[in-house]
Amino acid sequence: QVQLVESGGASVQAGGSLTLSCAASGSAFSINTMGWYREGPGKPREFVAEITNTDITSYAASVKGRFAISKDSAENRMSLQMNSLNVEDTAVYYCTAEIFKSGGYTRIVGQGTQVTVSS
């Protein structure tokens, strides 16, 4: 079984920065894409950023220019550097990955990490 574990969530002041990390663990798998979604209070889950196995990145318009996604393929780890945070970024951030295992692709999601931005 492949699992994702997020870390790095915290409470920060508006204008501050945070780095979220996500580590994938398990056996006999490879990762196609990794990314982040978030779910703010009273809001539906929304896409934040994604990175492919060829390092192609994509971002939601609301975070482009402020957030940067990166990965360490050798370690099956991914990070999200978040700068110039504002209260609208308050949410539970979920790591997600499309993995290849046992002959097929599947998408898995972590448990989430809370980011709270105060004004």
Side-chain angles (χ1 to χ4, degrees):
Q1 185 176 359
V2 182
Q3 292 184 319
L4 300 175
V5 178
E6 302 101 332
S7 61
S11 296
V12 296
Q13 294 280 333
S17 299
L18 274 178
T19 300
L20 303 183
S21 297
C22 175
S25 63
S27 62
F29 72 98
S30 61
I31 297 175
N32 187 32
T33 64
M34 294 187 81
W36 295 91
Y37 284 76
R38 67 186 182 185
E39 188 170 325
K43 300 178 183 178
R45 188 172 293 190
E46 65 171 344
F47 167 79
V48 175
E50 187 174 75
I51 186 166
T52 72
N53 57 359
T54 56
D55 292 333
I56 296 172
T57 59
S58 57
Y59 297 92
S62 59
V63 307
K64 198 168 186 178
R66 300 188 297 122
F67 291 10
I69 191 170
S70 61
K71 66 178 175 63
D72 180 340
S73 297
E75 297 293 327
N76 287 328
R77 298 182 67 89
M78 172 185 63
S79 294
L80 183 69
Q81 175 66 43
M82 306 187 295
N83 300 318
S84 301
L85 287 162
N86 59 60
V87 294
E88 296 298 315
D89 295 317
T90 294
V92 177
Y93 284 71
Y94 296 91
C95 173
T96 179
E98 183 184 62
I99 65 169
F100 183 80
K101 182 176 175 66
S102 302
Y105 286 96
T106 188
R107 183 165 289 275
I108 58 175
V109 183
Q111 292 297 309
T113 187
Q114 177 72 47
V115 172
T116 302
V117 184
S118 58
S119 59

